[in-house]
């Protein structure tokens, strides 16, 4: 007796015909958002000088960070009520419109207004993109597409500042703002056919501007005040930091899942860990080039090499994590990733000792990149797995809010502590600057153990 074997079924990839255009368009859009964030950081000193607006320098960064918080919350609610397509299109329009306003701004006040509009649009579109993944990609492909998103954020960090610097030096700072809309328009049109499938989303009753949105506005004000206060001095700094922290402490719990701050099992710990990993990684990263240049005498270009090395390890880890089959579960990956971040921070701190070769710190920091690249895609997948279809927007928004609020808080507080301690004891200042992120990463190891829950989405 003979039997006919059934043909083996193969899972389509993120670049298979039905997903290719959507994948390319989304990753291109993510990359452009990331490039703009880094490029503006490079160009802003020149911008402030050209527009005689140094007094608004801090607001040029704190404004979009704060408006992005509101955009994230609105996008999460909007995506759950009407589907992710509309907030994605609106977010893209606000983002590009803000860039155009900033690019043609005749004054620093107008540029800051453009930056605030840009930040709101960025919050809208980034959350909507995560919901698109949940709605239009099968579960087996989500880790891979989130790995591509991670690469879209990391690659600009390798080349973005250099490109922006060349643009500012040899042409005009306005091109930094105006080039991205020109490049983004093709990406938007590429996505349209794939997004058409998302238009069939069932409309649910509800209001976009509900209490959540009002709480988001209040939390955004806190972020803005905190960011501004971190760059002030004396009594004013203390007052602004206290006000900003109070606003975040009061309103952030209303925007995140119940149990986030006590590491409740499942989704609450996933959201908490998103904030911990971002605060630990980015909170330490900002001080590393400073330490290498001021304490070890490296040139800025060579000190920047450490970020390039970690960016490469981040990208490789993300793609490795995006493979469809792994022996271990998500909680193991998360714990290993957080431990790698702790190890990377600890090894980097060793370079404070002049007898430790700088290359040790550079290679050690690559462990932090590996940890970030392992943890971020894993968390993005878990958020969707632990969400009902009608909750993917709100929960994706919560994860990104946790990231933004935690990072803003750690950078503002850590920067203020560093500035206060460094004149008296530079070594102590760096130990504190790296010690706080290291403690957060260790707390993240505990949170990783509590991320195991019951998946609810298909």
């Amino acid at each position: 007796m003979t039997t006919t074997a059934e043909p083996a079924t193969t899972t389509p990839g993120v670049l298979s015909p039905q997903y290719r255009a959507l994948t390319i368009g989304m990753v291109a859009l993510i990359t452009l958002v990331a490039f703009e964030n880094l490029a503006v950081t490079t160009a802003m000193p020149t911008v402030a000088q050209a527009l005689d607006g140094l007094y608004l320098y801090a607001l040029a960064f704190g404004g979009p960070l704060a408006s992005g918080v509101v955009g994230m919350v609105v996008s999460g609610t909007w995506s759950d009520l009407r589907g992710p397509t509309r907030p994605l299109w609106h977010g893209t329009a606000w983002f590009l419109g803000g860039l155009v306003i900033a690019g043609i701004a005749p004054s620093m006040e107008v540029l800051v207004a453009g930056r605030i509009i840009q930040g709101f649009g960025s919050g809208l579109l980034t959350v909507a993109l995560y919901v698109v993944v949940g709605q239009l990609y099968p579960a087996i492909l989500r880790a891979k597409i989130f790995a591509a998103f991670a690469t879209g954020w990391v690659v600009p960090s390798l080349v973005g500042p250099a490109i922006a610097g060349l643009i500012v030096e040899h042409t005009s700072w306005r091109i930094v703002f105006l080039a991205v809309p020109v490049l983004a328009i093709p990406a938007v049109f590429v996505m349209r056919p794939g997004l058409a499938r998302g238009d069939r989303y069932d409309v649910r009753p509800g209001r976009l501007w509900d209490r959540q949105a009002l709480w988001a506005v209040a939390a955004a004000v806190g972020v803005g005040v905190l960011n501004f206060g971190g760059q002030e001095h004396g009594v004013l700094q203390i007052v602004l930091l206290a006000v900003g922290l109070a606003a975040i402490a009061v309103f952030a719990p209303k925007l995140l899942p119940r149990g986030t701050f006590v590491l409740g099992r499942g989704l609450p710990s996933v959201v908490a860990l998103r904030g911990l990993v971002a605060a630990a990684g980015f909170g330490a990263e900002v001080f590393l080039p400073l330490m290498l240049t001021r304490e070890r005498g490296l040139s800025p270009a060579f000190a920047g090499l450490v970020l390039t090395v970690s960016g490469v390890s981040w990208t490789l880890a993300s793609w490795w994590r995006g493979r469809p089959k792994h022996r271990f579960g998500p909680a193991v990956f998360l714990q290993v990733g957080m431990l790698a971040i702790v190890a990377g921070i600890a090894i980097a701190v060793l370079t404070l000792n002049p007898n430790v070769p700088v290359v040790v710190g550079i290679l050690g920091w690559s462990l932090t990149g590996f940890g970030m690249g392992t943890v971020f895609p894993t968390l993005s997948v878990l958020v969707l797995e632990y969400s009902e279809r009608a909750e993917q927007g709100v929960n994706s928004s919560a994860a990104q809010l946790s990231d933004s609020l935690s990072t803003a808080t750690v950078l503002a507080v850590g920067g203020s502590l560093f500035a206060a301690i460094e004149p008296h004891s530079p070594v102590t200042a760096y130990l504190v600057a790296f010690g706080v992120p290291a403690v957060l990463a260790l707390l993240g190891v505990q949170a990783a153990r509590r991320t195991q829950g019951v998946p609810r989405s298909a």
Side-chain angles (χ1 to χ4, degrees), residues 354-366:
N355 296 319
V356 176
V358 171
V359 68
V360 172
I362 293 176
L363 294 177
W365 190 251
S366 67

Side-chain angles (χ1 to χ4, degrees), residues 58-78:
L59 188 58
F61 290 99
L65 187 65
S67 62
V69 169
V70 180
M72 290 174 192
V73 173
V74 172
S75 184
T77 303
W78 198 349

Side-chain angles (χ1 to χ4, degrees), residues 29 33 36 88-105 110-122 124-125 177-178 180-182 184-185 188:
L29 199 55
V33 171
E36 185 61 28
L88 177 56
W89 292 137
H90 278 262
T92 302
W94 282 80
F95 175 69
L96 299 182
L99 287 174
V100 171
I101 292 172
I104 64 175
V110 175
L111 184 136
V112 169
R115 291 276 289 154
I116 292 173
I117 292 171
Q118 171 196 339
F120 178 71
S122 178
L124 282 176
L125 72 89
F177 293 95
L178 297 176
V180 169
V182 174
I185 291 174
V188 170

Side-chain angles (χ1 to χ4, degrees), residues 25-306:
M26 289 197 302
V27 173
L29 199 55
I30 285 284
T31 302
L32 290 171
V33 171
F35 172 81
E36 185 61 28
N37 287 336
L38 291 159
V40 168
T41 301
T42 303
M44 193 56 71
T46 302
V47 174
Q49 183 177 0
L51 297 178
D52 193 24
L54 190 60
Y55 69 102
L56 291 176
Y57 189 86
L59 188 58
F61 290 99
L65 187 65
S67 62
V69 169
V70 180
M72 290 174 192
V73 173
V74 172
S75 184
T77 303
W78 198 349
S79 296
D80 287 339
L81 295 179
R82 308 287 189 270
T85 304
R86 290 182 182 178
L88 177 56
W89 292 137
H90 278 262
T92 302
W94 282 80
F95 175 69
L96 299 182
L99 287 174
V100 171
I101 292 172
I104 64 175
S107 66
M108 193 67 173
E109 290 83 359
V110 175
L111 184 136
V112 169
R115 291 276 289 154
I116 292 173
I117 292 171
Q118 171 196 339
F120 178 71
S122 178
L124 282 176
L125 72 89
T126 51
V127 170
L129 285 173
Y130 277 64
V131 181
V132 167
V133 175
Q135 301 295 323
L136 301 183
Y137 286 80
I140 197 171
L141 293 182
R142 291 172 185 168
K144 186 167 290 187
I145 192 66
F146 284 130
F149 282 7
T151 302
W153 280 104
V154 172
V155 170
S157 70
L158 307 180
V159 299
I163 293 175
L166 290 173
I167 291 174
V168 171
E169 183 177 348
H170 297 288
T171 58
S172 169
W173 61 264
R174 297 183 185 275
I175 295 178
V176 172
F177 293 95
L178 297 176
V180 169
V182 174
L183 297 173
I185 291 174
V188 170
F189 280 104
V190 165
M191 289 190 299
R192 288 195 65 181
L195 285 173
R197 289 180 290 153
D199 290 335
R200 297 191 295 268
Y201 191 91
D202 294 334
V203 175
R204 298 171 52 228
R207 297 171 55 191
L208 293 182
W209 292 95
D210 55 7
R211 287 187 301 173
Q212 289 284 107
L214 297 178
W215 292 333
V217 171
V221 172
V223 170
V225 171
L226 192 65
N227 189 268
F228 184 76
Q231 301 182 52
E232 296 299 313
H233 303 282
V235 176
L236 178 60
Q237 181 187 53
I238 295 174
V239 172
L240 291 175
L241 289 177
V243 171
L245 287 172
I248 293 174
V250 170
F251 294 103
K254 301 178 183 298
L255 300 169
L256 303 176
R258 185 186 301 273
T260 297
F261 291 92
V262 295
L263 302 182
R265 188 167 296 279
L267 181 64
S269 283
V270 170
V271 172
L273 185 54
R274 175 65 181 259
L276 290 170
V277 66
F282 300 133
E285 184 181 69
V286 298
F287 292 101
L288 191 55
L290 182 67
M291 181 184 73
L292 293 176
T293 54
R294 296 183 63 175
E295 306 303 321
R296 298 302 302 266
L298 271 64
S299 67
F302 197 81
L305 177 63
V306 67

Side-chain angles (χ1 to χ4, degrees), residues 417-456:
L417 289 174
F418 180 86
I421 299 172
E422 196 273 340
H424 308 287
S425 175
V427 172
T428 302
Y430 284 111
L431 290 176
V432 171
F434 287 105
V436 172
V439 170
L440 294 176
L442 285 172
L443 182 59
V445 176
Q446 175 62 24
R449 297 193 182 102
R450 300 185 60 79
T451 56
Q452 292 178 320
V454 180
R456 292 190 289 175

